[in-house]
Amino acid sequence: MLRARGAYLWRAMHGRSMGARDMETIDLVIEVSGNRGAADVAKAAGERVLVTVLPIIAVAFILFLVTGIALPVLPLHVHRGLGLGTFVVGLVAGAQFAAALISRFWSGRHADDRGAKRATVAGLLLATAAGLLYLLSLRFVTTPTLSVAILLLGRAVLGAAESCVVIAGLMIFGREPEASTDAAPAAEVT
């Protein structure tokens, strides 16, 4: 009875029949709720979601921390430290965002082909490479043009890194449960 009601509610909410994984989730909720109270069921579901979501949030936090930590000092470095004009300051600041927009297509294809986890790792490796390029640009402060060129490259690489992590995170959050072909339709579940 509870299983059939759960299948009915599932179809009403999602507009499709339940797959095997969906049915396993309903069976787990019925089993847990039969043995314990609703608070325990909610706690178990919350722990399951937290275990899934926390690593994604941590990676996104680290990436956006790395991305944002340079923003306050970047214009000062380019304008005062290298002696370049405001146009170059804007170019360096905007290069990352332009690169992020352009690289979304590549990172989306990479995540689709190789999976969200590999796309996240690729994004973190690219962010590390961008940091190394930032450091390399400091070695050439005496030649501002070369220093800014390396800095622009670093900003572009960081934009690609951001794309990889953001696309992978969206891919993980937006994942639909796989429908199984051997699952019974919701109307036939008793």
Side-chain angles (χ1 to χ4, degrees):
M1 169 93 177
L2 287 174
R3 195 171 192 212
R5 184 178 179 118
Y8 171 77
L9 291 172
W10 178 270
R11 190 169 47 197
M13 288 173 33
H14 297 284
R16 64 177 177 80
S17 296
M18 295 175 58
R21 284 181 55 196
D22 305 325
M23 192 56 74
E24 289 172 9
T25 302
I26 287 208
D27 287 341
L28 176 69
V29 169
I30 291 170
E31 179 184 329
V32 171
S33 64
N35 297 334
R36 295 181 267 177
D40 292 336
V41 172
K43 182 179 176 187
E47 289 173 359
R48 192 172 181 185
V49 168
L50 186 65
V51 167
T52 303
V53 172
L54 195 59
I56 300 166
I57 292 172
V59 167
F61 173 76
I62 290 168
L63 179 78
F64 286 114
L65 180 68
V66 167
T67 302
I69 209 160
L71 286 178
V73 295
L74 196 61
L76 294 174
H77 171 67
V78 173
H79 188 61
R80 291 186 184 159
L82 298 176
L84 298 171
T86 55
F87 176 76
V88 177
V89 169
L91 191 65
V92 169
Q96 173 196 339
F97 306 108
L101 186 63
I102 292 167
S103 65
R104 291 281 158 99
F105 300 108
W106 171 82
S107 61
R109 185 167 207 67
H110 181 76
D112 284 342
D113 292 345
R114 298 204 174 112
K117 185 176 181 180
R118 287 189 182 201
T120 303
V121 170
L124 292 176
L125 290 174
L126 284 170
T128 302
L132 294 173
L133 285 168
Y134 281 14
L135 287 174
L136 182 64
S137 75
L138 293 175
R139 299 272 300 154
F140 298 100
V141 174
T142 55
T143 54
T145 308
L146 182 59
S147 181
V148 161
I150 295 170
L151 199 54
L152 279 170
L153 180 63
R155 298 287 292 167
V157 170
L158 190 58
E162 178 187 338
S163 284
C164 284
V165 172
V166 167
I167 291 293
L170 290 173
M171 189 175 168
I172 291 170
F173 278 122
R175 184 182 311 161
E176 278 287 323
E178 295 87 25
S180 177
T181 56
D182 59 350
E188 296 176 7
V189 175
T190 59

